[in-house]
Amino acid sequence: MNSANHNILQIKDLKKYFPIRKGFFQRVAAWVKAVDGVDLEIEEGKTLGLVGESGCGKSTVARMILKLLEPDEGNIIFRDQDISRFSEKDMKPIRKEIQIVFQDPYGSLNPRMTVGQSIEEGLRILGIPRGEKRRGRLEKLLKTVGMSPDSADRYPHEFSGGQRQRIGIARALSVEPSLVICDEPISALDVSIQAQILNLLKDLQDQLGLSYLFISHDLNVVGYLCNKVSVMYKGNIMEYAPTEKLYEHPFHPYTQTLLAAIPEPEPGRKQAAITMREDIPISAPPPPGCALQGRCPHEAPECRDEKMPFVKVGEDHFVRCWRVGQNGVARYEP
Amino acid sequence: MNHQNTLLSVNNLKVYFRSDDTLARAVDGVSYEIRREETVCLVGESGCGKTVSALSILGLIPQPPGEIAGGSILFNGQELLGLGDEDLQKIRGNQIAMVFQEPLTSLNPVFTIGDQIGEAINIHENIAEAEVNARCIQLLTDVGIPSPAERMSAYPHELSGGQRQRVMIAMALACNPDLVIADEPTTALDVTVQSQILKLLRSIQKERAMSILYITHDLGVVANIADRVYVMYAGVIAEQGSTENIFRQSQHPYTQGLLASLPTRSKRGQRLHSIPGTVPSAAYKPPGCPFHPRCPHAITRCREEYPGMCDYGGGHLARCPVMFKNDQWCK
C-alpha cells in the first residue's frame, strides 16, 4: 500500500499470537494467531471501517494500536513515528492523541465515580489544574456531546445506555485526540438511539477533524459511515477498498458472502444465496494457506499451500485471494 | 377480530412486576394473534415487553415478582392463563416450543446433544429408545447438521454457534409443535450464520406447516422473515400489519422514526433521522400515549388520553389518532 504521508496511522504486517498452554508445566501446546499480518491505513480526518465476525481479531488490533497489548511483530506508524516498540514513558504523549470509545457503555464507566470525575481524569493527566478552567472545559465537553452541564455531578447509573455512550465519547475527547478508535460503539444500544450516536460521531468529525477507526460487525452501519473499509477474517485482512467499491464490486468470496448476508430492511427483497459453509471449531492448528479454506466455495489446490499476498486489483483496492487475477478480474465464476 | 385460522390469540394481556415501591407495567394491554402456518414478528427495543409477553404464553413468568394482571391467552381455543403446571407441561415443548437467544447457555454442557434432543421426546411420548434415537438423527438431518449420527454424541462445546442454534431448533421441533416461539434466535450469531438460520427457519416453517412467533429488535430480520408484524413500544402494540404495511405504509410515528433512523449505505453523507429522547422505563411511563414525549406530531390530547387503535383496513392498525386522516380520536 502506498505510504503517502496524509495517513495519520499506518499498520504494517502486525502480528499477535496467543499461546495455548497445556499440562502441569504449562507447556505451550499451540498458538492462536489472533492477528496474523494485518495492514491498515487511516487517512487524516477520515473513517476506516474494520469489519469482521466475532473472534476475527479486530479488537486485538485496536488494543495493540493503543499499546494495551504488545504486538509480537510488525509496525504501528502514527504520524511518522513507529510506536510499536515504544515504552510506557514514550507512549504517554501518544496516548493523548489516540483514544478509544468502548462497546459497552455500562461496563466502561466506573460506577463509583461521578461523570465529571470520569471525564476529568484525562484533564488532570493533561496538567490542567483543578478549578474554574477545568470545570469550564468539562462543561464544554458535555455540551459538545449533547449533555447538560449539570450531568457532571451525577453517577453513571442515572443515565441510559445512549447517554452513557455520550459520556464515554466525552471522556475520549477530553484530551483532544486526533484519532479515535470506536470499538462497536453502537451495537449495545437500542435502534432508536443508534442514529443519535452515529450523528454525534459524524458531527464531531466535521467540527474537530477527527480520524476514526470504526470497528463493527454491522455492514449497514459501516456502509453508512466509513470512507474506506478493511474486511478481516481470522486475523487476516481479506479485502480493502473505498466503501463504494467494496459494496459495488467485492472481489473476495468472503466479502461477497458478508454482503449477501446483510439483512436489508426491505420486504420482498430476495436474499442472495449463501454458498459458504459454516465454520466448525477445530482443535488442530489451522493449515497453512488461505484462512478461509474449508469454507470457501471457490477453493482450489493453490489455496491450501501458501498465504496469498495482498494484491492490488484497482485504485486503493486490495484483495487477498489466490483466485483473483492481478488485473482485477475474478478468475472464478462469481 | 379473530381470524378463523387463529392458532394463538393474546387478548389485552397485562403483565406487571412489583417491587417494594414501584409497579413496572412491562406488558400493558397487548393483543396479538398468530394464524396457522404464518410467521409473526414481534419487534421492539429492549424493555418494550416483547419477551415478557412471549414468556407468559408458556407460563414462564416467575410469580412473584411478576403477576399476570389481566387478559387471556387462547391456544387452539384453550385458555392458557391459570393453567396448572402439569397441564402446561403437556403443552410446553409439545405443542408450543421455544428457541432462545443464546444457544450456549440454553444447552446443558454436560449432556450430549443426542441426550438433550431425546429428553424432549421422552417427556411427551412413550416410545422405545431406538426409535427416539432414529428420530433425533432425522431431526439433526432436517436442521442441516452434517454427519448427524456421529454428532449425536457430541457435546455443545464441540459445535459452532450456528450449529448449536440448529440443535436448539431441532429440540424445539422434536415433538412436532404447532407453534415455535423464537426469541432473538440469531442476535448472538454472525451475519453469515444468521442468514443461514433464517433460511432454515423459513424452510422448516413451510415443510412442517407450523407457525412461528419471532421476537427481534432487528428490522432487517423482520423484513426477511415475517408475514405479519407487531411493533411494540413501552408495553403496548404501536402498530400492526403485513410486512408490506409496516415497511412501506407505516402510519405510526414510532415505526416511521425507526425506519428512518436505520443506517444504510444509500443514506451515506446524509444526516440520519433520529428519535429524540430515550425509551421510558416500564415503571415510569408517561401518561397518555407512551410515545408522546418523543413524538414530532404530538398534540395536547396525546399527553392526556391513551390513544386507541386506528384501523387502516386489511389488518393494518396503528395506535396514533393524530396521523389518522378521519379527524376522529380512535377508541
Side-chain angles (χ1 to χ4, degrees):
Chain A
M1 279 187 265
N2 63 340
S3 54
N5 41 13
H6 57 269
N7 286 335
I8 183 164
L9 186 88
Q10 190 167 14
I11 290 176
K12 284 182 192 160
D13 203 27
L14 194 67
K15 286 182 185 168
K16 182 76 195 174
Y17 294 178
F18 293 105
I20 301 172
R21 293 177 188 279
K22 272 197 179 140
F24 183 73
F25 292 108
Q26 293 290 293
R27 183 177 56 82
V28 175
W31 295 90
V32 176
K33 298 180 176 181
V35 175
D36 195 17
V38 158
D39 301 311
L40 291 178
E41 48 185 47
I42 305 172
E43 278 174 69
E44 187 91 55
K46 295 282 170 61
T47 305
L48 173 73
L50 183 58
V51 290
E53 299 180 292
S54 49
C56 74
K58 26 186 218 302
S59 292
T60 307
V61 169
R63 289 169 68 193
M64 281 194 280
I65 296 173
L66 291 158
K67 297 295 297 277
L68 298 174
L69 263 181
E70 281 299 312
D72 290 341
E73 262 178 57
N75 307 98
I76 303 169
I77 297 148
F78 177 75
R79 290 222 164 110
D80 304 322
Q81 277 188 93
D82 186 348
I83 61 168
S84 57
R85 303 281 172 273
F86 269 26
S87 66
E88 262 312 299
K89 203 173 126 232
D90 295 334
M91 266 310 281
K92 211 161 176 191
I94 307 287
R95 288 207 197 285
K96 189 172 96 54
E97 294 288 324
I98 312 177
Q99 285 289 310
I100 185 165
V101 175
F102 294 99
Q103 171 172 7
D104 178 7
Y106 292 85
S108 55
L109 288 171
N110 188 336
R112 309 180 79 165
M113 278 163 93
T114 64
V115 166
Q117 284 167 339
S118 280
I119 298 174
E120 266 182 330
E121 241 191 332
L123 298 180
R124 184 169 55 82
I125 290 162
L126 265 188
I128 295 173
R130 200 188 301 262
E132 285 285 293
K133 197 174 166 206
R134 211 200 271 181
R135 183 75 194 184
R137 184 91 174 262
L138 174 65
E139 288 182 356
K140 197 168 154 244
L141 273 166
L142 284 167
K143 240 188 242 154
T144 313
V145 297
M147 304 271 296
S148 70
D150 59 3
S151 348
D153 302 317
R154 291 160 65 190
Y155 286 89
H157 74 262
E158 297 175 63
F159 297 97
S160 67
Q163 288 170 319
R164 285 183 209 210
Q165 201 56 296
R166 287 176 192 270
I167 296 164
I169 293 170
R171 181 177 58 184
L173 295 181
S174 66
V175 294
E176 298 182 338
S178 43
L179 172 65
V180 178
I181 298 173
C182 306
D183 191 358
E184 304 258 14
I186 62 165
S187 53
L189 303 177
D190 269 322
V191 189
S192 72
I193 309 301
Q194 291 187 348
Q196 295 177 5
I197 299 297
L198 284 176
N199 280 337
L200 174 64
L201 288 172
K202 260 196 128 141
D203 292 345
L204 292 171
Q205 184 164 51
D206 292 343
Q207 287 164 23
L208 308 169
L210 297 173
S211 312
Y212 290 134
L213 173 63
F214 191 86
I215 299 176
S216 179
H217 67 278
D218 186 333
L219 284 140
N220 277 325
V221 177
V222 168
Y224 167 73
L225 191 74
C226 301
N227 304 98
K228 287 186 178 170
V229 183
S230 287
V231 179
M232 196 165 174
Y233 181 74
K234 286 196 180 167
N236 291 278
I237 301 293
M238 296 309 221
E239 189 158 3
Y240 165 77
T243 310
E244 297 298 333
K245 274 192 192 166
L246 188 93
Y247 282 69
E248 300 293 338
H249 303 287
F251 275 105
H252 203 285
Y254 182 64
T255 316
Q256 291 168 354
T257 306
L258 275 185
L259 290 171
I262 301 182
E264 300 262 6
E266 218 180 292
R269 195 188 156 104
K270 195 112 175 64
Q271 195 88 17
I274 304 278
T275 47
M276 190 160 290
R277 284 184 286 275
E278 244 175 79
D279 196 13
I280 303 157
I282 38 164
S283 40
C290 177
L292 197 62
Q293 64 180 292
R295 293 186 73 187
C296 183
H298 309 293
E299 198 170 310
E302 63 259 38
C303 304
R304 287 170 215 132
D305 300 336
E306 214 183 317
K307 191 165 146 182
M308 170 77 182
F310 219 28
V311 168
K312 187 169 181 170
V313 292
E315 202 188 333
D316 286 338
H317 195 160
F318 293 80
V319 182
R320 192 189 300 285
C321 177
W322 280 112
R323 311 225 50 202
V324 174
Q326 297 274 350
N327 305 322
V329 188
R331 277 193 279 165
Y332 53 82
E333 292 298 311
Chain B
M1 202 183 78
N2 273 8
H3 199 268
Q4 51 185 354
N5 244 336
T6 303
L7 177 66
L8 178 97
S9 77
V10 173
N11 298 304
N12 202 21
L13 179 70
K14 291 180 179 171
V15 187
Y16 297 166
F17 290 88
R18 205 176 281 281
S19 68
D20 294 341
D21 49 359
T22 54
L23 180 69
R25 289 171 294 155
V27 173
D28 204 10
V30 159
S31 306
Y32 52 84
E33 57 163 7
I34 299 156
R35 300 169 196 155
R36 286 180 199 284
E37 300 178 37
E38 75 169 350
T39 302
V40 168
C41 270
L42 212 49
V43 61
E45 300 178 282
S46 53
C48 73
K50 50 192 196 304
T51 298
V52 170
S53 83
L55 289 177
S56 24
I57 297 171
L58 292 172
L60 294 176
I61 297 291
Q63 305 187 38
E67 72 180 65
I68 308 283
S72 84
I73 299 174
L74 291 172
F75 177 69
N76 266 333
Q78 185 190 8
E79 175 63 54
L80 295 186
L81 289 180
L83 221 52
D85 235 12
E86 218 168 284
D87 293 320
L88 267 175
Q89 196 60 46
K90 285 186 195 140
I91 293 168
R92 275 200 290 246
N94 195 13
Q95 289 159 292
I96 306 179
M98 189 139 184
V99 178
F100 294 96
Q101 173 172 355
E102 183 42 80
L104 193 53
T105 49
S106 12
L107 286 169
N108 191 329
V110 298
F111 288 101
T112 65
I113 62 170
D115 288 341
Q116 296 188 53
I117 301 171
E119 187 189 4
I121 302 171
N122 283 322
I123 286 174
H124 295 290
E125 287 167 55
N126 193 7
I127 51 177
E129 204 184 314
E131 214 177 311
V132 172
N133 265 335
R135 198 142 121 205
C136 290
I137 293 172
Q138 185 55 47
L139 283 163
L140 288 177
T141 317
D142 292 349
V143 297
I145 298 272
S147 45
E150 287 101 83
R151 280 308 190 184
M152 286 283 284
S153 54
Y155 289 90
H157 75 267
E158 297 174 89
L159 306 174
S160 69
Q163 287 182 327
R164 284 184 206 124
Q165 200 55 288
R166 285 175 195 267
V167 170
M168 288 294 293
I169 293 169
M171 282 168 70
L173 297 177
C175 294
N176 246 324
D178 298 319
L179 172 66
V180 169
I181 301 174
D183 187 3
E184 305 251 10
T186 62
T187 306
L189 304 175
D190 286 323
V191 273
T192 50
V193 182
Q194 164 170 285
S195 107
Q196 287 163 328
I197 296 287
L198 289 177
K199 197 172 149 210
L200 172 70
L201 283 172
R202 274 197 306 263
S203 73
I204 286 174
Q205 192 252 349
K206 263 204 196 91
E207 273 164 33
R208 302 194 169 223
M210 57 176 200
S211 308
I212 298 179
L213 174 61
Y214 195 103
I215 299 169
T216 183
H217 68 277
D218 187 334
L219 286 160
V221 171
V222 175
N224 209 279
I225 195 166
D227 296 314
R228 287 190 309 118
V229 185
Y230 291 85
V231 181
M232 277 188 84
Y233 184 78
V236 298
I237 303 287
E239 185 163 4
Q240 68 188 70
S242 69
T243 313
E244 196 69 17
N245 290 153
I246 297 296
F247 283 88
R248 300 207 207 279
Q249 302 119 27
S250 66
Q251 300 292 344
H252 196 285
Y254 175 60
T255 319
Q256 293 170 347
L258 274 187
L259 288 168
S261 66
L262 289 178
T264 54
R265 200 163 56 90
S266 55
K267 293 181 194 156
R268 252 178 91 82
Q270 298 167 32
R271 235 186 124 67
L272 286 176
H273 170 87
S274 73
I275 305 177
T278 50
V279 182
S281 100
Y284 303 100
K285 269 189 246 177
C289 171
F291 188 60
H292 85 253
R294 307 177 71 188
C295 182
H297 307 287
I299 56 171
T300 319
R301 203 166 169 187
C302 302
R303 278 169 219 133
E304 292 155 359
E305 209 174 319
Y306 182 65
M309 276 291 203
C310 307
D311 194 343
Y312 288 87
H316 184 193
L317 291 96
R319 196 179 292 284
C320 182
V322 177
M323 304 295 282
F324 199 50
K325 303 289 175 286
N326 287 7
D327 264 351
Q328 45 174 295
W329 194 263
C330 320
K331 290 292 173 195

